[in-house]
Structure formats: C-alpha cells, structure tokens
Amino acid sequence: SLPIEITSCEIAIYNSLGQIIQTTQASKNRSEIFSKQIDVANISSGLYFLFIKNNNSYIKNTTFIKM
C-alpha cells in the first residue's frame, strides 16, 4: 500500500462514562509536526481518555487524570 499523507487529525476527550467532553482539530505546523494545546481548565476533576484519529483510524490514545 502507498503511504498516506496526514495533514490534520481530530482530538477528542471522553470522560469515564464514555461521553465526549471536548473535540478539536490539529494541523501540521511549518516543521511538519502536529502541535495543539488543549485547555482543560473548564472540565471537572477526574479520569479522562484522549483519542487522536485521522479518517476514522485511531493514531494514538492515552488517559489522564485532571486534579
């Protein structure tokens, strides 16, 4: 298969109940690196799941705890 050029991706944050809390888009910067700051100041303390996907394929997922 041919390599696929990824130019943007979607970032989604879910709570522990599986509800979407926040979504945003990220694009490559001039250095061809994805970079995005996400403000989580407005969400409650707890466990969250962050998913990064492109064209319905998950690129990365991680969990984080908001204190």
Side-chain angles (χ1 to χ4, degrees):
S1 66
L2 297 174
I4 298 171
E5 177 67 24
I6 299 172
T7 57
S8 67
C9 62
E10 179 183 88
I11 302 168
I13 299 174
Y14 293 81
N15 65 14
S16 59
L17 299 175
Q19 300 165 320
I20 295 177
I21 301 301
Q22 185 175 352
T23 60
T24 188
Q25 296 287 332
S27 299
K28 287 183 181 177
N29 63 19
R30 291 182 186 159
S31 300
E32 295 293 308
I33 297 172
F34 285 101
S35 178
K36 183 72 174 186
Q37 288 187 331
I38 301 172
D39 183 7
V40 294
N42 60 342
I43 64 174
S44 303
S45 297
L47 177 67
Y48 293 91
F49 304 92
L50 184 134
F51 292 92
I52 303 172
K53 67 180 184 175
N54 179 40
N55 298 331
N56 297 323
S57 297
Y58 288 101
I59 299 169
K60 176 79 176 162
N61 61 12
T62 190
T63 57
F64 69 93
I65 298 173
K66 166 87 184 305
M67 303 298 258

